């Protein structure tokens, strides 16, 4: 096994994910993985948490887009409501 999270360009392993905000497909290392824990959307920084994940660029604009189109309940296949405060905190911190 290779170290977790390492990508090999030109090789075979370049997992692609779609951002639930802007819908752009990109390598998963550029996206923040999110999972739902008891109705709260949690940033899965180590990509270790179990369950259905959603991917998002860690930017305020993609978060806003995802909220506006109600992408999260669809991505997680839950009826909602979902608490976004942890994601918002993380994105705001990441944006500086
Ligand atoms: Zn995006």
């Amino acid at each position: 096994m290779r170290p977790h999270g390492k990508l090999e360009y030109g090789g075979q392993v370049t997992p692609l994910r779609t951002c639930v905000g802007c819908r752009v497909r990109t390598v998963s290392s550029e996206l923040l993985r999110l999972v739902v824990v008891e109705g709260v959307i949690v940033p899965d920084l180590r990509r270790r948490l179990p369950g259905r994940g959603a991917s998002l660029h860690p930017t305020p604009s993609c978060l806003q887009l995802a909220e506006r189109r109600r992408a999260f309940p669809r991505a997680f296949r839950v009826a909602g409501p979902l608490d976004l405060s942890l994601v918002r905190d993380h994105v705001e911190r990441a944006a500086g």
Side-chain angles (χ1 to χ4, degrees):
M1 279 292 275
R2 294 192 173 82
H4 201 77
K6 193 175 177 195
L7 289 175
E8 291 198 341
Y9 292 92
Q12 324 88 326
V13 190
T14 49
L16 292 176
R17 296 281 183 277
T18 303
C19 172
V20 294
C22 63
R23 310 290 295 169
V24 169
R25 260 168 88 79
T26 187
V27 291
S28 59
S29 58
E30 299 198 347
L31 298 167
L32 177 66
R33 180 176 138 89
L34 304 170
V35 297
V36 171
V37 180
E38 294 175 9
V40 179
I41 303 180
V42 178
D44 182 9
L45 300 178
R46 296 180 174 200
R47 298 166 190 276
R48 294 276 172 79
L49 297 174
R52 168 169 282 275
S55 299
L56 180 79
H57 286 113
T59 62
S61 58
C62 284
L63 176 58
Q64 226 173 59
L65 276 170
E67 279 189 88
R68 205 178 310 152
R69 59 163 54 113
R70 298 173 209 280
F72 290 116
R74 220 179 314 147
F76 293 117
R77 308 220 175 141
V78 297
L82 292 166
D83 183 345
L84 269 164
S85 54
L86 289 179
V87 183
R88 210 170 275 132
D89 281 356
H90 179 84
V91 166
E92 278 166 14
R93 232 174 294 142

